[in-house]
Amino acid sequence: MLNEQIVENREKPRGVQRQPARGEPVSRNEKANHELSIRVRDLNLWYGKNQALKNIDIDIYQRNVTALIGPSGCGKSTFLRCLNRMNDLIKSVHVEGLVEMDGHDVNAPRMDEVALRRRVGMVFQKPNPFPKSIYENVAYAPRMHDLVSRKADQDELVERALTDAGLWNEVKDKLQQPGTSLSGGQQQRLCIARAIAVQPDVILMDEPTSALDPISTATIEDLMDKLKQQFTIVTVTHNMQQAARVADYTAFFHLGEVIEYNDTQMMFSNPYTKKAEDYITGRYG
Amino acid sequence: MSQSFDEITAQLKRRHRRSARLKHMSMGALILAAAFLFIFIGDMLVKGLPAFQQAQIQVEVSYTEQASQIPPAAVGEDVRGLVSRGYLRLIPGRMRDNPELLGTTRMEWVLADSSVDQYLKGHEDALRGSEARVVERLIEGGRAELRFNTTFFTNGDSKMPELAGIASAAVGTVMTLIVTMLVCFPVGVMTAVYLEEFAPDNRLTQLIEININNLAAVPSILFGLLGLAIYINFFGVPRSSPLVGGLTLALMTLPVIIITTRSALRSIPDGIRQAAFGVGCSRWQVVRDHVLPLSLPGILTGSIIGMAQAMGETAPLIIVGMVAFIPDVGGSFTDAATVMPAQIFTWAGEPDRAFVEKTAGGILVLLAVLISLNATAVWLRKKFERRW
């Protein structure tokens, strides 16, 4: 539980903080939106006998960017994949605890993972467009989910998604070319367009810029800033400057636990826990 | 103390010599293998190419009343032994169909007996003295020559070498492979899809996997025995029919198709599956819309190679009776039939020398089909090869 962890991990007193409720960030970002999107309580996850996530409590707010940071192997990607049950695909995984969205337990037997993934989209570390045309990459999922029937609607939806992903002007003349012919940064924006084309509530991004050059990275970061007007974004990143630039709230993971969940400004200027401070100042990780 | 370049070079000399020796040995092995292949194909060409030519002679044919009763009477006594008996037998039928032939006498190019064929191809001992002289006279008069052998490609098997052809065996092969393909392809691909994409990883599926891999290594004659016991004796499928042959070959080809399909499925990067699951595809949609279309070239390549292997298979088909003597081309899936390798096997056992070239000719046809099948597989793979 977060409170206890904070007490445990605190080795020196750090400023006056209000006691946060369970799962809440230590300090509030007054500019951020605080409608609840996903509530996680007591989440535990095992790979076989190996416990990868321990008692995670976290509230994720709508139309914010929430960044997950931490050293390699700390469980941040695993946690991210719990939010749309992508861990189901790994046979040895066992999950316990509550992940609640819209009043529904995501892990309940009645929850259909296809319905969940329709509302919680995902962008991966390595750009992975389908080996189909640019148009088809975006149009495939909405058509599959019966969101569009007429060709004109479909064209409009593809244009809107590509525009929102900041890619329309670059690809509007070559929609029939394969998605894999684009540059890495463009491919990643195509993947973002593919994710937003089904109008999800949440977009999960698993180190979306780690395979990209600095200019493409900056483009994607700007894009995240725009997209949070419409979508809740949860992103995993190894790049702390990126977390500081794009995120409203940041959670620091270490060895499968959330050590600190805080307003991004506070996290990077005045972290509450010693471990977070050590990680952020580069003493390890 | 560290060593100088000279000292190190002196030591290296021995190592370089050893690697040069190994290189030469492996090159030698390659040359030996190439030589064997060259000798084999060369021998087949020398023996088999003459089979694609056939002797014809020009003789006077008189369509008399007597000839319609006793066909050999249609040709002169001196050439009676030189004309194919198969040709002579057709005369009464032709006269029935064309009544205007009666009473006429025409010079016609007719199929020669296989002994004349062999004589023209350089086997001088194929004809006895008087007949040899007649043939020599025909040759001088330009009335005996080797022409392209259409009979070989249009006729079924025959006891007369000049009438024996590969057509019935080729049709039998095609029909057998159709059965094999119809059974193998859907069953094999769906099995592989289930094992690779859906099956849980437990004892049972592991056992199934090991068994499939072992099945691919089982001697093919055992599949023949299985086919005999199950299809013919238990289910009562007609023996030596393309149906039973195809089903037997399907048993043999199934593991090959399952294994190649699984490796084709496995070669699809996981990123594609993740992406598809990420946009909310069900497992079946992931397979149908993404994984299967991408792995199709690999699956087709594997299936074609499996089919080529089945096509060259003889042993299991002998067990289910597909070495039958089939003179007529065509028939249904439940009629007796033979296949090309079995036909070659039959001809190889014939004592008449004319069948030696038929055997080699059959092998050449089979090889040509196999090479073109494999070339198709290579072409498919190259055409659809994808970089991720």
Side-chain angles (χ1 to χ4, degrees), chain A residues 81 86 89 91 114 117 120-122 124 128-132 140-141 144-145 194, chain B residues 199 201 271-272 274-283 285 289-290 294 386 388:
Chain A
R81 295 159 60 89
M86 284 296 263
L89 305 177
K91 279 159 187 162
V114 171
R117 291 184 197 134
V120 184
M122 191 156 190
F124 298 84
N128 56 354
F130 296 132
K132 302 172 188 274
Y140 170 74
M144 179 183 68
H145 292 302
R194 178 177 69 189
Chain B
D201 191 18
I272 300 295
Q274 303 251 353
F277 279 120
V279 296
C281 287
S282 65
R283 242 170 217 285
Q285 282 170 325
D289 294 348
H290 302 283
L294 291 176
R386 216 177 255 284
W388 306 97

Tab-separated table of all heavy atoms in Angstrom, chain A residues 81 86 89 91 114 117 120-122 124 128-132 140-141 144-145 194, chain B residues 199 201 271-272 274-283 285 289-290 294 386 388:
chain	number	residue	atom	x	y	z
A	81	ARG	N	0.597	-3.463	-19.469
A	81	ARG	CA	-0.105	-4.509	-20.198
A	81	ARG	C	-1.237	-5.128	-19.386
A	81	ARG	O	-2.083	-5.825	-19.954
A	81	ARG	CB	0.887	-5.584	-20.648
A	81	ARG	CG	1.905	-5.031	-21.666
A	81	ARG	CD	3.148	-5.893	-21.707
A	81	ARG	NE	2.806	-7.254	-22.083
A	81	ARG	CZ	2.761	-7.668	-23.332
A	81	ARG	NH1	3.068	-6.847	-24.297
A	81	ARG	NH2	2.425	-8.899	-23.601
A	86	MET	N	-3.172	-7.462	-22.056
A	86	MET	CA	-2.280	-8.076	-23.040
A	86	MET	C	-1.467	-9.193	-22.396
A	86	MET	O	-0.919	-10.047	-23.084
A	86	MET	CB	-1.328	-7.024	-23.633
A	86	MET	CG	-1.981	-6.112	-24.649
A	86	MET	SD	-2.550	-6.970	-26.110
A	86	MET	CE	-1.172	-6.684	-27.196
A	89	LEU	N	-1.929	-13.014	-23.070
A	89	LEU	CA	-1.322	-13.763	-24.174
A	89	LEU	C	-0.116	-14.563	-23.714
A	89	LEU	O	0.343	-15.449	-24.421
A	89	LEU	CB	-0.898	-12.797	-25.292
A	89	LEU	CG	-1.996	-11.890	-25.830
A	89	LEU	CD1	-1.440	-10.944	-26.859
A	89	LEU	CD2	-3.102	-12.744	-26.430
A	91	LYS	N	1.336	-17.296	-21.430
A	91	LYS	CA	0.619	-18.395	-20.794
A	91	LYS	C	0.916	-18.537	-19.308
A	91	LYS	O	0.074	-18.982	-18.552
A	91	LYS	CB	0.922	-19.706	-21.536
A	91	LYS	CG	0.053	-19.825	-22.784
A	91	LYS	CD	0.623	-20.788	-23.803
A	91	LYS	CE	-0.199	-20.712	-25.085
A	91	LYS	NZ	0.528	-21.268	-26.225
A	114	VAL	N	-11.679	-8.486	-25.751
A	114	VAL	CA	-11.790	-7.770	-27.021
A	114	VAL	C	-12.498	-6.432	-26.808
A	114	VAL	O	-12.085	-5.392	-27.325
A	114	VAL	CB	-12.530	-8.638	-28.059
A	114	VAL	CG1	-12.832	-7.838	-29.298
A	114	VAL	CG2	-11.700	-9.866	-28.398
A	117	ARG	N	-10.072	-4.060	-25.083
A	117	ARG	CA	-9.033	-3.504	-25.950
A	117	ARG	C	-9.611	-2.525	-26.969
A	117	ARG	O	-8.889	-1.716	-27.527
A	117	ARG	CB	-8.285	-4.638	-26.664
A	117	ARG	CG	-7.452	-5.441	-25.699
A	117	ARG	CD	-6.646	-6.502	-26.386
A	117	ARG	NE	-6.202	-7.460	-25.383
A	117	ARG	CZ	-6.287	-8.767	-25.529
A	117	ARG	NH1	-6.775	-9.270	-26.644
A	117	ARG	NH2	-5.880	-9.567	-24.575
A	120	VAL	N	-9.353	0.442	-24.709
A	120	VAL	CA	-7.996	0.730	-24.251
A	120	VAL	C	-7.038	0.335	-25.366
A	120	VAL	O	-6.694	-0.831	-25.522
A	120	VAL	CB	-7.669	-0.043	-22.957
A	120	VAL	CG1	-6.294	0.344	-22.441
A	120	VAL	CG2	-8.723	0.218	-21.899
A	121	GLY	N	-6.640	1.317	-26.170
A	121	GLY	CA	-5.760	1.029	-27.302
A	121	GLY	C	-4.314	0.971	-26.864
A	121	GLY	O	-3.976	1.310	-25.735
A	122	MET	N	-3.462	0.530	-27.797
A	122	MET	CA	-2.062	0.383	-27.399
A	122	MET	C	-1.119	0.744	-28.545
A	122	MET	O	-1.377	0.454	-29.700
A	122	MET	CB	-1.805	-1.050	-26.945
A	122	MET	CG	-0.456	-1.224	-26.268
A	122	MET	SD	-0.456	-2.647	-25.181
A	122	MET	CE	1.110	-2.400	-24.353
A	124	PHE	N	3.092	0.370	-29.412
A	124	PHE	CA	4.182	-0.461	-28.908
A	124	PHE	C	5.536	0.222	-29.080
A	124	PHE	O	5.673	1.239	-29.758
A	124	PHE	CB	4.177	-1.809	-29.622
A	124	PHE	CG	2.907	-2.583	-29.382
A	124	PHE	CD1	1.777	-2.354	-30.158
A	124	PHE	CD2	2.831	-3.515	-28.370
A	124	PHE	CE1	0.601	-3.039	-29.927
A	124	PHE	CE2	1.661	-4.209	-28.136
A	124	PHE	CZ	0.545	-3.975	-28.915
A	128	ASN	N	4.937	-1.093	-35.296
A	128	ASN	CA	4.548	-2.367	-35.921
A	128	ASN	C	3.301	-2.208	-36.772
A	128	ASN	O	2.284	-2.825	-36.521
A	128	ASN	CB	4.334	-3.448	-34.856
A	128	ASN	CG	3.314	-3.042	-33.805
A	128	ASN	OD1	2.842	-1.910	-33.808
A	128	ASN	ND2	2.960	-3.939	-32.938
A	129	PRO	N	3.370	-1.357	-37.817
A	129	PRO	CA	2.196	-1.267	-38.693
A	129	PRO	C	1.938	-2.633	-39.333
A	129	PRO	O	2.863	-3.413	-39.509
A	129	PRO	CB	2.613	-0.240	-39.742
A	129	PRO	CG	4.089	-0.220	-39.708
A	129	PRO	CD	4.490	-0.563	-38.320
A	130	PHE	N	0.667	-2.879	-39.662
A	130	PHE	CA	0.355	-4.102	-40.399
A	130	PHE	C	1.009	-4.011	-41.767
A	130	PHE	O	1.086	-2.922	-42.339
A	130	PHE	CB	-1.157	-4.243	-40.596
A	130	PHE	CG	-1.923	-4.410	-39.325
A	130	PHE	CD1	-3.056	-3.654	-39.087
A	130	PHE	CD2	-1.525	-5.330	-38.374
A	130	PHE	CE1	-3.786	-3.804	-37.910
A	130	PHE	CE2	-2.242	-5.485	-37.201
A	130	PHE	CZ	-3.369	-4.726	-36.973
A	131	PRO	N	1.454	-5.129	-42.329
A	131	PRO	CA	2.017	-5.067	-43.684
A	131	PRO	C	0.923	-4.897	-44.735
A	131	PRO	O	0.788	-5.688	-45.651
A	131	PRO	CB	2.769	-6.392	-43.820
A	131	PRO	CG	2.306	-7.252	-42.722
A	131	PRO	CD	1.578	-6.443	-41.724
A	132	LYS	N	0.127	-3.858	-44.556
A	132	LYS	CA	-0.930	-3.509	-45.499
A	132	LYS	C	-0.737	-2.045	-45.869
A	132	LYS	O	0.200	-1.405	-45.390
A	132	LYS	CB	-2.298	-3.668	-44.840
A	132	LYS	CG	-2.622	-5.048	-44.308
A	132	LYS	CD	-3.921	-4.975	-43.523
A	132	LYS	CE	-4.239	-6.257	-42.785
A	132	LYS	NZ	-4.935	-7.246	-43.563
A	140	TYR	N	-8.730	-0.793	-40.917
A	140	TYR	CA	-9.004	-2.192	-40.573
A	140	TYR	C	-9.830	-2.333	-39.290
A	140	TYR	O	-10.880	-2.964	-39.283
A	140	TYR	CB	-7.687	-2.980	-40.461
A	140	TYR	CG	-7.871	-4.354	-39.892
A	140	TYR	CD1	-8.438	-5.365	-40.662
A	140	TYR	CD2	-7.530	-4.652	-38.569
A	140	TYR	CE1	-8.644	-6.623	-40.136
A	140	TYR	CE2	-7.737	-5.892	-38.043
A	140	TYR	CZ	-8.291	-6.882	-38.823
A	140	TYR	OH	-8.498	-8.122	-38.295
A	141	ALA	N	-9.327	-1.719	-38.191
A	141	ALA	CA	-9.984	-1.948	-36.896
A	141	ALA	C	-11.400	-1.365	-36.839
A	141	ALA	O	-12.321	-2.052	-36.404
A	141	ALA	CB	-9.115	-1.410	-35.774
A	144	MET	N	-13.610	-3.663	-38.622
A	144	MET	CA	-13.791	-4.914	-37.883
A	144	MET	C	-14.802	-4.734	-36.748
A	144	MET	O	-15.594	-5.624	-36.466
A	144	MET	CB	-12.446	-5.359	-37.339
A	144	MET	CG	-12.480	-6.619	-36.533
A	144	MET	SD	-10.846	-6.986	-35.890
A	144	MET	CE	-10.627	-5.675	-34.725
A	145	HIS	N	-14.750	-3.558	-36.096
A	145	HIS	CA	-15.666	-3.308	-34.980
A	145	HIS	C	-16.999	-2.735	-35.447
A	145	HIS	O	-17.785	-2.255	-34.626
A	145	HIS	CB	-15.030	-2.340	-33.985
A	145	HIS	CG	-13.857	-2.919	-33.262
A	145	HIS	ND1	-13.928	-4.050	-32.500
A	145	HIS	CD2	-12.559	-2.533	-33.200
A	145	HIS	CE1	-12.743	-4.330	-31.987
A	145	HIS	NE2	-11.890	-3.428	-32.408
A	194	ARG	N	-3.794	4.333	-35.952
A	194	ARG	CA	-4.512	3.066	-35.916
A	194	ARG	C	-5.194	2.889	-34.571
A	194	ARG	O	-6.326	2.415	-34.486
A	194	ARG	CB	-3.509	1.932	-36.172
A	194	ARG	CG	-4.080	0.557	-36.119
A	194	ARG	CD	-3.022	-0.463	-36.458
A	194	ARG	NE	-2.012	-0.562	-35.414
A	194	ARG	CZ	-0.887	-1.243	-35.533
A	194	ARG	NH1	-0.615	-1.875	-36.646
A	194	ARG	NH2	-0.021	-1.301	-34.555
B	199	ALA	N	-3.559	-23.760	-28.981
B	199	ALA	CA	-3.431	-24.850	-28.007
B	199	ALA	C	-2.727	-24.382	-26.744
B	199	ALA	O	-1.785	-23.606	-26.801
B	199	ALA	CB	-2.665	-26.004	-28.629
B	201	ASP	N	-0.186	-24.954	-23.620
B	201	ASP	CA	1.095	-25.648	-23.613
B	201	ASP	C	1.087	-26.651	-22.462
B	201	ASP	O	1.456	-26.332	-21.348
B	201	ASP	CB	2.211	-24.609	-23.425
B	201	ASP	CG	3.567	-25.235	-23.668
B	201	ASP	OD1	3.612	-26.314	-24.292
B	201	ASP	OD2	4.570	-24.655	-23.233
B	271	GLY	N	5.215	-8.892	-33.187
B	271	GLY	CA	4.693	-7.527	-33.235
B	271	GLY	C	3.382	-7.440	-33.994
B	271	GLY	O	2.496	-6.662	-33.631
B	272	ILE	N	3.251	-8.251	-35.049
B	272	ILE	CA	2.021	-8.235	-35.844
B	272	ILE	C	0.852	-8.748	-35.011
B	272	ILE	O	-0.236	-8.165	-34.997
B	272	ILE	CB	2.196	-9.101	-37.111
B	272	ILE	CG1	3.337	-8.566	-37.976
B	272	ILE	CG2	0.900	-9.170	-37.901
B	272	ILE	CD1	3.078	-7.206	-38.548
B	274	GLN	N	0.683	-8.807	-31.718
B	274	GLN	CA	0.437	-7.829	-30.647
B	274	GLN	C	-0.402	-6.680	-31.186
B	274	GLN	O	-1.360	-6.245	-30.545
B	274	GLN	CB	1.769	-7.281	-30.147
B	274	GLN	CG	2.701	-8.331	-29.661
B	274	GLN	CD	2.858	-8.306	-28.158
B	274	GLN	OE1	2.355	-7.408	-27.507
B	274	GLN	NE2	3.529	-9.286	-27.618
B	275	ALA	N	0.000	-6.182	-32.380
B	275	ALA	CA	-0.717	-5.056	-32.962
B	275	ALA	C	-2.174	-5.430	-33.184
B	275	ALA	O	-3.088	-4.657	-32.886
B	275	ALA	CB	-0.065	-4.643	-34.274
B	276	ALA	N	-2.405	-6.634	-33.690
B	276	ALA	CA	-3.768	-7.053	-33.993
B	276	ALA	C	-4.577	-7.218	-32.712
B	276	ALA	O	-5.711	-6.739	-32.619
B	276	ALA	CB	-3.750	-8.356	-34.784
B	277	PHE	N	-3.980	-7.860	-31.700
B	277	PHE	CA	-4.683	-7.972	-30.417
B	277	PHE	C	-4.932	-6.586	-29.843
B	277	PHE	O	-5.979	-6.317	-29.259
B	277	PHE	CB	-3.852	-8.792	-29.426
B	277	PHE	CG	-3.975	-10.271	-29.614
B	277	PHE	CD1	-2.872	-11.049	-29.897
B	277	PHE	CD2	-5.210	-10.890	-29.499
B	277	PHE	CE1	-2.983	-12.410	-30.066
B	277	PHE	CE2	-5.334	-12.258	-29.667
B	277	PHE	CZ	-4.215	-13.024	-29.952
B	278	GLY	N	-3.957	-5.702	-30.035
B	278	GLY	CA	-4.051	-4.352	-29.476
B	278	GLY	C	-5.216	-3.549	-30.020
B	278	GLY	O	-5.759	-2.702	-29.323
B	279	VAL	N	-5.598	-3.794	-31.279
B	279	VAL	CA	-6.749	-3.062	-31.810
B	279	VAL	C	-8.045	-3.833	-31.574
B	279	VAL	O	-9.088	-3.466	-32.091
B	279	VAL	CB	-6.623	-2.732	-33.317
B	279	VAL	CG1	-5.460	-1.807	-33.565
B	279	VAL	CG2	-6.515	-3.995	-34.155
B	280	GLY	N	-7.976	-4.914	-30.787
B	280	GLY	CA	-9.196	-5.606	-30.399
B	280	GLY	C	-9.624	-6.729	-31.320
B	280	GLY	O	-10.813	-6.996	-31.459
B	281	CYS	N	-8.650	-7.391	-31.954
B	281	CYS	CA	-9.001	-8.573	-32.742
B	281	CYS	C	-9.210	-9.752	-31.798
B	281	CYS	O	-8.503	-9.881	-30.802
B	281	CYS	CB	-7.861	-8.953	-33.688
B	281	CYS	SG	-7.681	-7.866	-35.077
B	282	SER	N	-10.157	-10.623	-32.148
B	282	SER	CA	-10.244	-11.885	-31.425
B	282	SER	C	-9.135	-12.783	-31.960
B	282	SER	O	-8.534	-12.491	-32.993
B	282	SER	CB	-11.607	-12.529	-31.645
B	282	SER	OG	-11.732	-12.880	-33.000
B	283	ARG	N	-8.883	-13.873	-31.267
B	283	ARG	CA	-7.806	-14.752	-31.681
B	283	ARG	C	-7.987	-15.218	-33.127
B	283	ARG	O	-7.048	-15.265	-33.906
B	283	ARG	CB	-7.764	-15.976	-30.770
B	283	ARG	CG	-6.481	-16.080	-30.015
B	283	ARG	CD	-6.544	-17.142	-28.950
B	283	ARG	NE	-5.809	-16.703	-27.788
B	283	ARG	CZ	-4.488	-16.681	-27.720
B	283	ARG	NH1	-3.762	-17.110	-28.731
B	283	ARG	NH2	-3.866	-16.252	-26.645
B	285	GLN	N	-9.655	-13.732	-35.498
B	285	GLN	CA	-9.417	-12.626	-36.435
B	285	GLN	C	-7.926	-12.375	-36.622
B	285	GLN	O	-7.479	-12.057	-37.719
B	285	GLN	CB	-10.102	-11.354	-35.933
B	285	GLN	CG	-11.592	-11.361	-36.192
B	285	GLN	CD	-12.303	-10.237	-35.482
B	285	GLN	OE1	-11.930	-9.858	-34.379
B	285	GLN	NE2	-13.338	-9.714	-36.097
B	289	ASP	N	-6.984	-12.686	-40.438
B	289	ASP	CA	-6.701	-11.440	-41.146
B	289	ASP	C	-5.212	-11.116	-41.228
B	289	ASP	O	-4.799	-10.344	-42.087
B	289	ASP	CB	-7.408	-10.264	-40.457
B	289	ASP	CG	-8.918	-10.376	-40.559
B	289	ASP	OD1	-9.375	-11.220	-41.333
B	289	ASP	OD2	-9.630	-9.629	-39.870
B	290	HIS	N	-4.427	-11.635	-40.308
B	290	HIS	CA	-3.030	-11.192	-40.268
B	290	HIS	C	-2.031	-12.333	-40.408
B	290	HIS	O	-1.201	-12.337	-41.305
B	290	HIS	CB	-2.764	-10.426	-38.977
B	290	HIS	CG	-3.660	-9.244	-38.828
B	290	HIS	ND1	-3.459	-8.082	-39.524
B	290	HIS	CD2	-4.791	-9.064	-38.118
B	290	HIS	CE1	-4.422	-7.228	-39.231
B	290	HIS	NE2	-5.252	-7.806	-38.390
B	294	LEU	N	-0.077	-13.662	-44.115
B	294	LEU	CA	1.353	-13.395	-44.173
B	294	LEU	C	2.166	-14.674	-44.293
B	294	LEU	O	3.249	-14.675	-44.869
B	294	LEU	CB	1.804	-12.627	-42.925
B	294	LEU	CG	1.293	-11.196	-42.839
B	294	LEU	CD1	1.695	-10.562	-41.535
B	294	LEU	CD2	1.852	-10.391	-43.999
B	386	ARG	N	9.377	-11.323	-47.493
B	386	ARG	CA	9.054	-10.030	-46.917
B	386	ARG	C	10.137	-9.646	-45.927
B	386	ARG	O	10.649	-10.467	-45.197
B	386	ARG	CB	7.743	-10.184	-46.160
B	386	ARG	CG	6.853	-9.008	-46.232
B	386	ARG	CD	5.601	-9.377	-45.507
B	386	ARG	NE	4.507	-9.642	-46.422
B	386	ARG	CZ	3.843	-8.683	-47.042
B	386	ARG	NH1	4.196	-7.437	-46.889
B	386	ARG	NH2	2.836	-8.989	-47.816
B	388	TRP	N	10.867	-7.396	-42.653
B	388	TRP	CA	10.072	-6.753	-41.600
B	388	TRP	C	10.778	-5.517	-41.102
B	388	TRP	O	11.941	-5.490	-40.922
B	388	TRP	CB	9.852	-7.724	-40.446
B	388	TRP	CG	9.264	-8.982	-40.930
B	388	TRP	CD1	9.933	-10.146	-41.222
B	388	TRP	CD2	7.897	-9.225	-41.252
B	388	TRP	NE1	9.065	-11.078	-41.678
B	388	TRP	CE2	7.813	-10.545	-41.710
B	388	TRP	CE3	6.738	-8.441	-41.170
B	388	TRP	CZ2	6.622	-11.108	-42.098
B	388	TRP	CZ3	5.565	-9.013	-41.563
B	388	TRP	CH2	5.510	-10.327	-42.015
